[in-house]
Amino acid sequence: MKAVVTRGHGGYEKLEFRSVPLPEPGPGEVLLKVLAAGVNNTEINTRLGWYSSSVRKGTEDTGEDEDRADGGWNATTPFPLIQGTDCCGRIVAAGSDGDAARIGERVIVRACMREHGFDSMRTLWLGSDFDGAFAQYLKVPEHEAFAVDCDWSDAELGSIPCAYGTAENMIERAGVGSGMRVLVPGASGGVGSAVVQLAKRRGAEVIGITSAEKRETVRDIGVDRVLTRADDPVAALDEESVDVVVDNVAGAGFGTMLKVLRRGGRYVTSGAIAGPVVELDMRDLYLKDVSLIGCTAWDEPVFPNLISYIEAGEIRPFVAKTFSLDRIAEAQEAFSAKDHAGKIVLLP
């Protein structure tokens, strides 16, 4: 089969489109024909070694030509690696003890796997800890492949797992509910646009922050109010005016997010594209009884929730553009330019 093999930390030259052996499903596993695979920050960040504690800048800091032993999600990335965290696929074979009746199902894969159970926060990630979806075929544990009954395109389903799983996990952990006011920096991105839809689904009022160029796009996604990056959130919204901030941007704007939180408010994050090292005024944290919530490990209800929302027609992803698998460098370059809204998806 054909796959994109990432050979180590570095630039696009580390992405090699070539023939590799077809994986064979073992006990408890199924083989999927990949139908669509979304592009995410995590694949680029992992290739660049951005998760290393030595990196102090935002995700534009490439880290090229430097191997970083702690540059992956779980410390060391097992290069060479087939990346690809998002997968929509069709089951074409099952392992020796698998359910052959599932062959033919169209599925999406739960990318964040809790191999030690949901009482442990240890995770195993598709495309980061073992071979993922930037290939024509992949094997996964059978119980991590979820059938979906809907009329969506493969590209739409392939845009769901990472962004929407991450978004639903943050919303679930933060306890977002009806009548709450939620602020979403980076509202036009894959995770941000998912947060907007999922928070609105729960009856929250959603305020999105984006670039001036994407103002109308974000409004179309469903936000109740749009701020641009040039706006001062404190001046626009007032201090102590927001119940929850769902922030994957961080960087220099982190302190302002705490200013707009109400007493007892919650700040939840699973990323830091504008910079991982932030300035924290501890008084904003303890005097206001604010909770800071970090999210990586997906909780048990998250993925079943998403399947139910899809099948009930309650959410719909935004696919900005598709590329063939051999054009992965172009796809990642387009993703990194941040000129799009929604998801970019690869079609093997």
Side-chain angles (χ1 to χ4, degrees), residues 31-42:
L31 180 69
L32 305 183
K33 177 179 173 60
V34 179
L35 303 175
V39 174
N40 298 284
N41 270 311
T42 183

Side-chain angles (χ1 to χ4, degrees), residues 282-304:
M282 291 296 292
R283 293 164 295 192
D284 287 326
L285 176 63
Y286 73 81
L287 289 176
K288 293 169 61 178
D289 292 284
V290 166
S291 296
L292 303 182
I293 307 170
C295 287
T296 293
W298 296 354
D299 294 334
E300 188 170 10
V302 167
F303 220 63

Side-chain angles (χ1 to χ4, degrees), residues 78-269:
F79 296 121
L81 175 72
I82 299 172
Q83 295 183 282
T85 305
D86 280 336
C87 180
C88 167
R90 192 171 302 280
I91 297 177
V92 294
S96 58
D97 61 348
D99 183 359
R102 296 196 65 189
I103 293 174
E105 286 182 359
R106 189 171 68 150
V107 301
I108 57 176
V109 178
R110 179 162 53 190
C112 177
M113 303 178 189
R114 305 280 284 275
E115 60 176 341
H116 300 292
F118 288 94
D119 291 332
S120 169
M121 285 296 179
R122 292 194 174 275
T123 59
L124 191 69
W125 280 84
L126 177 68
S128 289
D129 296 312
F130 67 100
D131 284 343
F134 291 165
Q136 292 177 317
Y137 295 87
L138 85 158
K139 63 178 182 179
V140 297
E142 183 178 340
H143 63 272
E144 302 293 3
F146 288 71
V148 188
D149 181 13
C150 70
D151 62 358
W152 289 12
S153 70
D154 297 334
E156 287 175 314
L157 275 178
S159 74
I160 285 289
C162 187
Y164 280 76
T166 297
E168 177 71 4
N169 195 47
M170 289 191 288
I171 288 170
E172 182 88 3
R173 290 262 190 99
V176 172
S178 180
M180 288 186 174
R181 201 179 202 200
V182 178
L183 179 62
V184 186
S188 66
V191 174
S193 61
V195 169
V196 170
Q197 287 190 68
L198 293 168
K200 288 289 291 181
R201 184 200 158 276
R202 293 184 180 222
E205 175 192 356
V206 180
I207 303 164
I209 302 176
T210 189
S211 64
E213 296 77 17
K214 296 178 183 176
R215 189 179 191 127
E216 291 307 314
T217 300
V218 169
R219 200 183 306 279
D220 290 342
I221 292 171
V223 298
D224 297 288
R225 182 176 177 183
V226 183
L227 303 181
T228 71
R229 293 174 191 152
D231 294 325
D232 176 3
V234 173
L237 303 175
D238 294 328
E239 291 193 19
E240 300 189 24
S241 60
V242 171
D243 297 292
V244 176
V245 175
V246 184
D247 182 18
N248 273 12
V249 177
F254 171 79
T256 301
M257 298 299 106
L258 299 193
K259 295 288 186 188
V260 299
L261 275 174
R262 293 191 172 111
R263 292 175 183 270
R266 296 178 288 281
Y267 174 98
V268 59
T269 180

Side-chain angles (χ1 to χ4, degrees), residues 320-340:
K321 196 170 184 180
T322 62
F323 291 81
S324 59
L325 183 59
D326 61 326
R327 296 174 61 199
I328 186 171
E330 292 176 62
Q332 290 192 349
E333 189 173 21
F335 182 96
S336 298
K338 305 297 182 187
D339 293 330
H340 66 289

